[in-house]
Amino acid sequence: MISQLISHIWKKEFRSPVWAKSLLTNIFLGFAALMMLGYVLIAGVAMDKLVREFFPDNDPLVFINGFILYYFLVEFMLRFFLQNVPVLEIQPYLHLPIKKGKIIHFMFRKSLFSAFNLLAVLLFLPFSLMRVGADYGAVSALGWLASIVGLSITLHFVVILFKKKMNDIPNLFIGLIVFLAALAALDYFNVVSFSSLSSAIFGFIVEEPALGAIPVVLAFVFYRLNYSFLVKNTYPEELAIRKKEKVTGDFGFLKQYGRIGELIQLELKLILRHKRPRNTLIMSGFLLLYGLFFYTNDNYQEMQFIFMFAGVFITGIFFINHGQFLLSWESGYFDFILTRRVSFRQFIESKYWLFVATSTIAFVVSLAYGYFGWKIVLINLAAYLFNIGLNVFAVMRLAMFNPKKIDLNKGAAFNYEGVGAAQFLIMIPMMILPYILYAPFLILGYENLGLFLTGLAGLIGFLFRDKMLNALTQFFISRRHKFAASFRSQ
């Protein structure tokens, strides 16, 4: 049976029309993934030397031990947003006379062959051989590495279980945010030093390598918890009931804004009721914290020109993520869009106002960055105005360049449906356009004037939005039949 399941997976991948039509994109993305894993391996090999060079006063093993808990926090966030929950793969088999347990075991074992599970191995294996093994012996190196790999596999199954539970208990997501915020606060105010805690835990494992088996056992525990949960919750009729009982907001207040409000309401329901756009929304919310990467780093205090990019990214993150697939989200019923009694201008304008609204919300949230200085607020204000006046139109126009079909119910992780040349071009206007006015005045020492002119350019674009929307609408009308034919053929 295992060989038949593997055969089905192989056929599913290579018989897919998306695979054939996007072969070049798949090759490029596969090469990029291998290249990133190669970089991780290189970082692992160079880890000991880098610590000795940049932190000569620290013992490399003590330093790396203090870093491990932070690494797993980052890995958890990556897995939460990018790791797929492999439950949909077993649904086609639930009605067949096959033992459910065998299918679930196969699914879990297959899910272990993931790039995320290679990260910890590639990063820490060279260090365990070159440093831990050299100083403390092979047994200590094996126990230390086993604890790290065991924790990585544990995270793999924790994320699967957490995401499945989150479908039943949406408040778990709020609980996760509160928990992570509490950990960050404890570390920031030096109530608990996670660096010292991490160093003590993994240092003790080096001294007592048998303790490295604890995370491995923990991985098996979460494997069984996932198995038990799925065995009890993967009946076809229960899946159908849950799908029907799924609740989302009605957004009835938007109806007061006429047909455009109704279209925005439908767009919001599309986002909340389907996995991939909903994941995009959640990821956009977390990426509002992107500014902490820049504003808290002393190295960027002398490179404040980069704060403009951070401001554009923070205040425009939703329309960057969602807007790049402007038409692809509705590719499954695009023919219906062309026939319903809604003007194409209203269709385009509704999406524009949704992006303006989300950018406004993001800007209001970004006011909290005023803690790091009022100049950051001014930069974010200029970036926000530039986004709603110019960048949003650039993104919407690029999104109409050869859009591709998307299955809304598939997750976002390693899902390249809808990805084309436009998605690689989106970041060009985001990175270049704001600096056309800002950079020259910054170089000449008139930064505030550059900020004023950048914001003014965006404000002028916003005031002349009707002309921009008319141009987008005319382009959409001229290509609408080509879009429809392309979606039908994919």
Side-chain angles (χ1 to χ4, degrees):
M1 188 184 74
I2 300 299
S3 61
Q4 288 181 335
L5 292 174
I6 294 174
S7 173
H8 291 170
I9 293 171
W10 181 269
K11 292 174 181 176
K12 175 185 173 183
E13 292 295 334
F14 289 93
R15 289 181 178 179
S16 168
V18 176
W19 173 270
K21 291 179 181 295
S22 305
L23 182 59
L24 184 61
T25 301
N26 286 321
I27 293 173
F28 172 78
L29 293 172
F31 176 76
L34 290 175
M35 186 172 64
M36 291 303 297
L37 291 175
Y39 286 150
V40 172
L41 179 60
I42 292 171
V45 173
M47 189 183 296
D48 182 62
K49 183 178 179 180
L50 291 173
V51 174
R52 290 182 178 278
E53 182 176 347
F54 291 100
F55 305 96
D57 298 331
N58 294 309
D59 179 81
L61 180 57
V62 174
F63 181 86
I64 295 301
N65 281 343
F67 158 79
I68 292 175
L69 284 184
Y70 293 104
Y71 164 79
F72 281 116
L73 178 61
V74 173
E75 184 176 316
F76 175 81
M77 299 303 294
L78 288 174
R79 287 180 181 273
F80 181 81
F81 287 114
L82 300 178
Q83 178 177 307
N84 280 325
V85 179
V87 175
L88 294 177
E89 297 178 11
I90 69 173
Q91 291 184 11
Y93 301 98
L94 292 178
H95 67 288
L96 299 176
I98 304 173
K99 287 186 178 180
K100 189 191 307 180
K102 287 186 177 181
I103 304 174
I104 294 175
H105 280 306
F106 173 79
M107 179 193 69
F108 279 144
R109 291 165 187 168
K110 172 182 170 289
S111 72
L112 290 173
F113 294 94
S114 166
F116 290 111
N117 295 330
L118 288 175
L119 291 178
V121 176
L122 295 177
L123 185 61
F124 292 104
L125 175 61
F127 186 81
S128 69
L129 297 175
M130 298 167 61
R131 177 52 50 202
V132 184
D135 291 349
Y136 295 90
V139 176
S140 293
L142 181 61
W144 185 80
L145 182 63
S147 67
I148 292 174
V149 175
L151 284 176
S152 183
I153 301 300
T154 300
L155 277 184
H156 174 79
F157 291 113
V158 166
V159 169
I160 292 175
L161 184 61
F162 185 86
K163 284 189 171 183
K164 285 299 297 175
K165 289 282 189 181
M166 197 170 65
N167 289 336
D168 299 329
I169 312 173
N171 289 336
L172 277 179
F173 181 67
I174 298 175
L176 174 65
I177 296 176
V178 172
F179 176 71
L180 294 177
L183 291 181
L186 290 173
D187 192 58
Y188 182 80
F189 293 106
N190 295 320
V191 176
V192 176
S193 174
F194 289 101
S195 177
S196 300
L197 180 63
S198 177
S199 181
I201 292 173
F202 291 95
F204 192 54
I205 291 175
V206 171
E207 298 292 339
E208 300 291 340
L211 296 176
I214 295 177
V216 177
V217 173
L218 196 62
F220 280 104
V221 170
F222 276 95
Y223 178 96
R224 292 302 303 182
L225 288 174
N226 274 278
Y227 175 81
S228 300
F229 179 81
L230 288 184
V231 165
K232 296 176 182 177
N233 295 276
T234 52
Y235 292 101
E237 61 272 17
E238 290 187 5
L239 292 171
I241 291 171
R242 287 181 183 177
K243 188 172 182 181
K244 291 179 182 178
E245 290 180 348
K246 198 169 189 178
V247 178
T248 59
D250 184 53
F251 305 105
F253 69 93
L254 291 172
K255 293 181 180 179
Q256 64 182 307
Y257 299 104
R259 186 55 61 89
I260 290 177
E262 292 177 1
L263 292 173
I264 294 175
Q265 179 187 35
L266 291 174
E267 185 85 12
L268 290 173
K269 288 181 178 180
L270 178 147
I271 293 170
L272 295 177
R273 292 177 177 178
H274 298 89
K275 182 178 291 185
R276 187 167 176 184
R278 186 170 65 245
N279 287 348
T280 301
L281 177 64
I282 294 173
M283 185 179 296
S284 298
F286 267 93
L287 289 176
L288 290 175
L289 302 174
Y290 189 69
L292 295 175
F293 177 78
F294 293 100
Y295 305 143
T296 59
N297 194 325
D298 294 335
N299 295 328
Y300 290 114
Q301 299 305 314
E302 298 179 359
M303 303 167 55
Q304 293 193 5
F305 66 90
I306 205 171
F307 288 176
M308 174 58 75
F309 171 74
V312 169
F313 189 81
I314 291 168
T315 59
I317 183 59
F318 178 76
F319 77 72
I320 296 172
N321 282 338
H322 188 80
Q324 64 180 313
F325 302 114
L326 186 75
L327 303 180
S328 298
W329 297 123
E330 297 166 301
S331 56
Y333 53 92
F334 192 78
D335 289 326
F336 169 71
I337 290 176
L338 300 184
T339 59
R340 64 183 177 182
R341 298 178 62 184
V342 176
S343 73
F344 296 129
R345 166 58 189 263
Q346 290 174 329
F347 174 71
I348 299 296
E349 188 173 358
S350 67
K351 296 182 179 295
Y352 170 73
W353 284 113
L354 175 63
F355 296 151
V356 170
T358 53
S359 294
T360 303
I361 293 171
F363 170 68
V364 172
V365 173
S366 75
L367 293 176
Y369 287 125
Y371 173 82
F372 300 103
W374 282 105
K375 180 175 285 187
I376 291 175
V377 175
L378 294 177
I379 292 174
N380 286 348
L381 175 60
Y384 160 71
L385 293 174
F386 196 87
N387 274 335
I388 66 172
L390 294 173
N391 267 341
V392 66
F393 295 112
V395 170
M396 292 174 72
R397 174 60 182 83
L398 284 173
M400 294 184 190
F401 177 74
N402 194 24
K404 299 182 180 299
K405 192 172 183 177
I406 284 179
D407 185 344
L408 296 174
N409 290 313
K410 291 184 178 180
F414 300 104
N415 182 357
Y416 307 117
E417 285 185 348
V419 177
Q423 281 62 48
F424 296 99
L425 298 174
I426 287 290
M427 292 307 296
I428 294 178
M430 306 301 294
M431 296 179 66
I432 295 177
L433 290 181
Y435 285 97
I436 292 177
L437 290 173
Y438 177 62
F441 290 96
L442 178 65
I443 295 172
L444 295 173
Y446 300 100
E447 181 181 4
N448 291 336
L449 180 59
L451 289 174
F452 173 77
L453 292 177
T454 302
L456 180 63
L459 184 60
I460 293 173
F462 178 74
L463 294 176
F464 286 90
R465 61 185 178 275
D466 286 340
K467 294 186 179 298
M468 300 279 200
L469 290 170
N470 287 336
L472 285 174
T473 303
Q474 290 303 316
F475 180 80
F476 174 80
I477 292 173
S478 66
R479 299 288 298 260
R480 66 189 188 280
H481 296 301
K482 292 183 179 179
F483 295 150
S486 175
F487 290 144
R488 285 194 297 267
S489 65
Q490 295 177 30

